[in-house]
Each structure stands twice: as C-alpha cells, then as structure tokens.
Amino acid sequence: MHREKNLFRLLEELQTGKYKISRHICFVVTEPSPREIFAADFRDRIVHHLICNEIQGMFEKDFVETSYANRKGKGTHKALKKLKFWVCRGGINRQRLYFLKMDIKGFFRNINKDIFYEIIEEKILKCNSPEWWKDEILQLLKTTIFHDPTSNYAFKGREATKGLIKKEKSLFIGEKNKGLPIGNLTSQFFANVYLNELDQYIKNKLGFERYIRYVDDFLVLNEDTEKLKSLIGITRIFLFKRLKLRLCEDKTKLKRTENGIDFLGYYVKPTHTLVRRKVVRRFKNRLFLAKENEDGLLREEDNSMIQSYFGHFCFAHSFNLLNKLCACL
C-alpha cells in the first residue's frame, strides 16, 4: 500500500547510515533434513538484493567453473552433467577412476564472521571503485554479516520442531561470532565467497582438475587412491587453519566410481544414473499426503510438486520408475 514511501525511507536510512535489520521469522523445515530457517523481513530482502547486485560480479569472476550452487547458469543438473561426463569417460588411458566425497560439518552454523569479513573486505578494498562506495558497501556488509538474527525474531510453526535441530546446526547455541542464517539471499552468496578459498586451494593450488562443489558437499575424482587418501588430511588441515571449519568425518567416502556416487539426489555410475531411493520415498509420502482427503483426488495446487519431482527424475534413467509412479496418480 505504501511501497514508494517505504522505499524512499529505506533509501534515506541507507544513505545516512541509520539502517537497522528488522525482525526475522524463524521456522523449521523437516525435509530433506531438519533445518533452522531465518526468513528476513521484506525490506531487508531488498537490501540483500542491493548487496548482491553491487558486489556479486566482482567475486563471480574469481569462482571456479565447477562451483554449482546458487549461481546463474549453474545448478544441480549442470553439476550432475559434469559428474556423469567424468565418470563415463573414466581416468587417463581409461584407467579405473576413484572418487573422494567430503562434507563440512554444520557449515552455515560454523562460518567464522571475522574471517569471512576479512576475505570480503580485502577484495573490495583492492577494487577500482570510488572510496565513498567502498566505505558505504563495507558498512552495509558489516551490518549484515555481524547481525545476530536470534536477537530479534518471531517463531512460526510447532514448538516441537525446535527439538529436531542438532546443537551444532542451531544459531541459538554456540559462539555468536559464527554462523549465517539459512534462508537469506546473501547467505547463499556469502557461502560461495567463503568456500571459494577451498575451491582455489584444491583445484588450482593442488591441481585436482576433476573437482565439483555444491554448497558444502564436494567431490574429487582421480586415478590414484593414495593421492585421494592424502587429500583428506590436507583438506582437514586447510579447512581448520584457514576457515575454522571441520570435515564431517562420517560422510567422507573414498570408493571406485563403479560402486556409484551418491550426489545431489542421484546415484551416478559409469553405465547409468538412478534416482536416490530417499527421493522416491519422499515423493511417495508427499503424494500420499496430497491424496489424503475426502475424495482421494489430487488438487490443482499439488501439480507443481508432482511436476517438480518428475523433472528431477527425468535427468536419470527412470523410464520404468516414471511408469510406476504415473500409475499411482
């Protein structure tokens, strides 16, 4: 109703340095795993777009090609296509290929704000933009990065869902100079800036060309198992010393590609690609809930959910699966 008035007020706050972040809405999502979400107020989302529009370009050109999360022209299916290409081609001279899959423990919760701000500040201070612009954007970044969403929030949903969140993944527990809220546009972009340090180290400094990262899940493929074994320790040390992050040790896997790679909702083998059973099971559960009404028929609003899952299935060898699922509709 008052969008122009509110926009001009927001602009004045930004220009005078009086801008303050509004209350967040906190809620818990349970699929595919329990996550604590902090949704920013609408006016703050405008500021998030402003930040990304201003600085994303200067960071984007430094990102490695095989970082696929939250980037234009990338995404899960582009990552899958690249992985399938490497797996099907095999190693040099058709040698057997091995994969090392690693994951970062409680990634968003454990991003060190001081280290991250140093990374982003160094890049901005070196750019050719006017000094007034650097001062304003750095002040806005400092406000956004160091804000604690738990200091002003409203919880929506069932209180019981709070208990589903692991302690190492909750912003309510632990050090206040660590953690970015899941759910903000800036957090997705900031994650790529933070882990670009890891991308550059593994791909460019250590020379592992067949490297893929999607948020905090990353894969390295190589013909030499000993190189991959040593990479585990090297990565562990780098993550802790440079970024104060830790590997999720129980998710670290080193296997032959023939055994299949569980990645981004698919199971990739040299000869074919399958949809993960968990994804199929999740779809069946959602389909059952959608049909759980008086007449047992699907509603129009369920169509987008079904089309989304079917779109995901189409990137795998899923002809028989789709036929079976169509029979359930």
Side-chain angles (χ1 to χ4, degrees):
M1 292 293 290
H2 306 286
R3 58 185 178 183
E4 289 187 8
K5 182 180 178 181
N6 291 333
L7 282 170
F8 278 112
R9 183 184 298 159
L10 177 59
L11 175 61
E12 183 184 359
E13 289 178 13
L14 290 167
Q15 290 174 331
T16 57
K18 295 179 180 179
Y19 167 71
K20 291 184 179 179
I21 295 173
S22 305
R23 186 179 67 172
H24 279 70
I25 300 297
C26 177
F27 58 94
V28 173
V29 296
T30 56
E31 292 184 355
S33 61
R35 293 181 185 275
E36 183 181 83
I37 308 296
F38 281 90
D41 189 74
F42 188 80
R43 71 196 301 272
D44 297 320
R45 293 186 216 176
I46 294 172
V47 175
H48 295 167
H49 279 275
L50 168 66
I51 290 172
C52 291
N53 289 342
E54 289 288 323
I55 68 172
Q56 195 162 5
M58 73 171 70
F59 287 92
E60 183 71 29
K61 62 186 179 183
D62 291 337
F63 292 162
V64 300
E65 181 196 350
T66 52
S67 165
Y68 285 96
N70 307 309
R71 296 176 65 193
K72 288 182 180 179
K74 301 292 184 178
T76 55
H77 297 130
K78 287 286 181 70
L80 176 70
K81 184 179 180 181
K82 176 64 77 173
L83 179 60
K84 286 165 71 173
F85 171 74
W86 283 337
V87 170
C88 293
R89 187 175 64 173
I92 299 172
N93 298 323
R94 294 294 177 179
Q95 292 182 53
R96 172 170 282 163
L97 201 59
Y98 298 85
F99 74 90
L100 173 62
K101 182 183 177 185
M102 292 181 278
D103 185 284
I104 296 172
K105 189 172 184 179
F107 170 58
F108 278 98
R109 176 62 188 93
N110 290 297
I111 292 175
N112 187 292
K113 295 181 180 182
D114 296 314
I115 294 174
F116 173 64
Y117 184 75
E118 286 174 10
I119 293 170
I120 211 162
E121 182 185 42
E122 181 182 6
K123 179 72 174 178
I124 289 173
L125 289 177
K126 287 182 179 178
C127 75
N128 295 323
S129 299
E131 291 301 318
W132 65 264
W133 179 87
K134 293 179 185 179
D135 291 340
E136 287 190 6
I137 199 68
L138 284 173
Q139 182 57 45
L140 187 54
L141 282 164
K142 188 176 288 186
T143 300
T144 304
I145 292 167
F146 289 96
H147 176 71
D148 177 14
T150 64
S151 63
N152 184 17
Y153 75 96
F155 185 80
K156 296 291 179 70
R158 294 183 296 112
E159 287 288 330
T161 58
K162 289 183 178 179
L164 300 175
I165 305 299
K166 295 180 180 179
K167 290 182 178 180
E168 64 268 20
K169 292 189 176 183
S170 176
L171 290 178
F172 292 98
I173 301 168
E175 301 173 53
K176 293 302 179 183
N177 72 323
K178 287 185 176 183
L180 295 177
I182 299 174
N184 289 347
L185 176 66
T186 46
S187 296
Q188 297 169 1
F189 166 58
F190 291 164
N192 278 336
V193 174
Y194 201 60
L195 284 186
N196 184 54
E197 302 288 309
L198 175 68
D199 299 342
Q200 298 293 340
Y201 182 71
I202 293 180
K203 190 162 187 178
N204 295 330
K205 188 169 184 180
L206 299 181
F208 287 93
E209 285 297 319
R210 285 165 291 194
Y211 166 83
I212 292 178
R213 180 178 62 80
Y214 195 91
V215 192
D216 61 329
D217 291 328
F218 52 104
L219 281 169
V220 184
L221 289 83
N222 200 272
E223 299 85 358
D224 192 334
T225 54
E226 293 305 314
K227 281 186 177 180
L228 292 177
K229 283 179 183 176
S230 65
L231 181 60
I232 299 173
I234 293 170
T235 303
R236 185 187 296 121
I237 293 169
F238 175 82
L239 280 173
F240 185 73
K241 283 191 173 181
R242 178 69 183 103
L243 302 173
K244 294 293 182 277
L245 296 171
R246 297 180 185 275
L247 283 177
C248 191
E249 302 291 349
D250 58 342
K251 291 185 179 180
T252 300
K253 300 187 186 304
L254 173 55
K255 295 181 180 179
R256 297 183 300 178
T257 55
E258 291 96 324
N259 292 340
I261 306 174
D262 181 0
F263 193 58
L264 300 179
Y266 298 95
Y267 205 67
V268 181
K269 289 191 173 187
T271 54
H272 59 284
T273 300
L274 301 174
V275 180
R276 280 190 73 190
R277 290 179 181 177
K278 282 185 178 180
V279 177
V280 177
R281 188 162 57 245
R282 196 179 306 131
F283 171 70
K284 287 180 177 179
N285 290 338
R286 292 191 66 178
L287 189 62
F288 174 78
L289 291 172
K291 295 174 71 174
E292 200 175 42
N293 49 62
E294 291 181 4
D295 53 16
L297 299 175
L298 292 169
R299 302 288 185 257
E300 278 191 33
E301 54 266 28
D302 299 316
N303 184 57
S304 58
M305 178 271 292
I306 295 169
Q307 295 299 326
S308 176
Y309 271 97
F310 276 29
H312 179 80
F313 298 156
C314 285
F315 283 85
H317 293 84
S318 57
F319 180 80
N320 291 332
L321 171 65
L322 286 169
N323 281 338
K324 289 179 181 179
L325 292 174
C326 285
C328 299
L329 298 177

